[in-house]
Amino acid sequence: MIVPTYNEAGNIAALLDELFALRTRERTGWDLHVLVRDDRSPDGTGEIVEEIASGKHRGKVILSRGTKQGLGKALELAFAEALDRGYEVVMTMDADFSHAPVDVVPLLQAIESGADVAVGSRYTPGGLIPGDWPLSQIVRTRVAGTVARGVGGIDPGLRELTTNFRAMRRVVLESIDFGRVRARGYGFQIFLANAFTTGGWKVTEVPISFHTRAHGVSKASVKDVLEFVRIAVQLNDDSPFKQLVRFLLVGVSGTLVNLGSLWLLRQIFMPEDPVGDRVWLLSAAAIQISILWNFVWHTAFTFKRYRRVGGELGPRQILVNLAKFEGASALTQTVIFGAFVVFSNLGVFYLIAQALGIVIAVAVNYWVSSHYIWDWRRRLSDVAAPALASPQELRRVA
């Protein structure tokens, strides 16, 4: 068990006593040792642990000292030390009693039952948060989860993303490239959550009761929040947010291609026609050119995960998707026109009515594109089902 500490003199002795009172060997088959990673706490936390390690819990407590570099760096260094010492299961928890020591046993039991990672979860059925927990804290964790999933693209199947209460097999930690992101604070937790869910590991959420810290104050800061967002941006390039940004960029480029094609076609086919009675034909051609442009870039650039989960697309699948996209484009134009009519009749200024129609149409087009044309989940099931791939193999493909 790794317990990172900074100014936890009021908690650490009692926490160690409760952990060793669990009798984990009798209940789970695992011996419990505790590595306290203390970042030179000025309140004497390290000295308290040192005394305990040489006294009542000799042979079971390890004190690891370092400079204050943030929670993420402290955990990374503690993981390396635990692996160097040969431990087969590595756990983490906070020192402030927000994680109940009694919940350590269910985490170990989940590992013993076959999980590669066991996560102490407030948000899985049976999990609880304290009744006196400030609304600001609840909102912050919920917003953090939304950012992690929307911007970072972390698997929505994992409910608990920001906890420091976990149990992990050594093979899981050995597989993680900790140099991929520079995480000093709480953003390290979503980096780990993403590593678990993208690595093909069996992740089990264990319901826990979360508690208000016993002594001391929270270490979270505005700097941690900013780092959290930065790390989310650095994670999966196929997150919903990044995919939407690519979709909009392609849409803007398609509009420019449409206008440029219309101008070029007019110069080629109607250079001397001042009225342009047949310009609508050229407009239709320009629209089709922009549709093909958007289709190519959505396939190659926007919906990367769709292409990645099943390999290269065959000619038949490309033609099927193109037909679907043509239909989606026709639907888009219908939505724009319909919205324009409705809003105009409601007295909305015509340019605003048209703009509202475009916004609604883009939302509809994106939904159809991501959930019908380039739905990676459907393609994954189509590709994997004939091979009868294992759940772990499917997660690695995804």
Side-chain angles (χ1 to χ4, degrees):
M1 171 67 75
I2 293 172
V3 182
T5 59
Y6 186 76
N7 285 348
E8 296 290 355
N11 296 314
I12 192 62
L15 177 67
L16 293 173
D17 286 343
E18 290 199 26
L19 285 174
F20 292 121
L22 293 174
R23 301 177 65 185
T24 57
R25 184 175 182 82
E26 291 87 342
R27 301 173 68 182
T28 68
W30 292 95
D31 287 320
L32 177 67
H33 291 179
V34 178
L35 188 156
V36 178
R37 173 73 188 191
D38 184 62
D39 286 344
R40 302 289 177 183
S41 299
D43 70 346
T45 300
E47 287 70 22
I48 294 173
V49 175
E50 190 171 33
E51 181 179 347
I52 293 173
S54 61
K56 65 189 298 187
H57 296 308
R58 179 189 295 271
K60 294 183 179 180
V61 176
I62 303 163
L63 174 61
S64 176
R65 293 183 182 270
T67 57
K68 195 172 190 304
Q69 301 180 67
L71 175 65
K73 193 62 178 178
L75 286 176
E76 180 184 342
L77 294 172
F79 287 154
E81 183 170 350
L83 295 180
D84 285 344
R85 290 175 177 268
Y87 289 97
E88 291 299 322
V89 175
V90 178
M91 307 181 73
T92 61
M93 72 183 300
D94 292 343
D96 58 10
F97 283 96
S98 57
H99 304 140
V102 294
D103 288 328
V104 168
V105 172
L107 288 181
L108 280 174
Q109 289 172 336
I111 293 291
E112 189 65 13
S113 297
D116 298 309
V117 178
V119 178
S121 177
R122 296 163 284 188
Y123 304 120
T124 200
L128 296 172
I129 59 175
D132 61 346
W133 214 33
L135 179 61
S136 60
Q137 288 283 82
I138 297 175
V139 171
R140 187 172 69 182
T141 57
R142 291 296 191 181
V143 170
T146 300
V147 170
R149 293 184 181 91
V151 178
I154 298 178
D155 188 346
L158 181 60
R159 298 179 178 90
E160 179 66 78
L161 302 180
T162 59
T163 185
N164 186 43
F165 199 24
R166 302 181 175 110
M168 302 147 283
R169 294 185 183 273
R170 74 174 289 122
V171 66
V172 176
L173 291 176
E174 288 173 337
S175 72
I176 297 175
D177 178 11
F178 289 102
R180 183 183 170 194
V181 299
R182 183 172 52 84
R184 297 172 61 92
Y186 288 87
F188 187 76
Q189 304 298 1
I190 62 167
F191 166 71
L192 285 179
N194 185 64
F196 301 150
T197 55
T198 58
W201 307 109
K202 181 180 179 182
V203 181
T204 299
E205 288 190 86
V206 177
I208 64 166
S209 295
F210 192 76
H211 303 275
T212 303
R213 63 181 294 125
H215 298 283
V217 295
S218 173
K219 314 297 192 303
S221 65
V222 174
K223 185 178 180 180
D224 289 319
V225 174
L226 295 177
E227 182 190 71
F228 187 94
V229 174
R230 174 180 63 78
I231 292 173
V233 171
Q234 287 181 277
L235 294 179
N236 307 297
D237 66 353
D238 48 20
S239 70
F241 173 77
K242 295 172 188 174
Q243 183 173 276
L244 176 60
V245 169
R246 292 196 297 266
F247 184 87
L248 294 175
L249 288 174
V250 170
V252 170
S253 71
T255 301
L256 297 176
V257 167
N258 187 327
L259 296 174
S261 298
L262 179 59
W263 177 85
L264 183 61
L265 291 172
R266 177 71 185 274
Q267 303 307 309
I268 295 174
F269 295 104
M270 298 180 182
E272 305 298 333
D273 185 356
V275 179
D277 293 334
R278 293 174 295 165
V279 75
W280 64 272
L281 292 172
L282 302 184
S283 176
I287 290 173
Q288 186 58 43
I289 290 171
S290 66
I291 288 174
L292 292 173
W293 170 276
N294 286 0
F295 175 78
V296 169
W297 282 104
H298 284 328
T299 300
F301 174 64
T302 303
F303 300 101
K304 296 180 178 181
R305 195 170 193 179
Y306 177 84
R307 189 179 70 257
R308 189 172 69 244
V309 298
E312 293 300 319
L313 292 166
R316 181 179 178 278
Q317 188 63 57
I318 292 175
L319 291 176
V320 169
N321 285 357
L322 177 59
K324 292 178 180 180
F325 189 63
E326 292 279 2
S329 299
L331 174 63
T332 299
Q333 300 304 317
T334 302
V335 169
I336 293 175
F337 179 73
F340 176 79
V341 171
V342 170
F343 286 121
S344 295
N345 288 335
L346 291 175
V348 178
F349 183 59
Y350 76 99
L351 289 179
I352 297 178
Q354 184 79 337
L356 290 173
I358 291 173
V359 170
I360 295 172
V362 168
V364 170
N365 198 335
Y366 179 70
W367 190 91
V368 172
S369 295
S370 59
H371 289 78
Y372 177 59
I373 304 174
W374 290 283
D375 183 355
W376 69 267
R377 295 173 184 83
R378 182 180 303 169
R379 185 163 194 237
L380 177 61
S381 63
D382 291 344
V383 171
L388 298 177
S390 69
Q392 185 166 330
E393 290 170 333
L394 292 184
R395 295 190 77 109
R396 285 197 174 115
V397 171

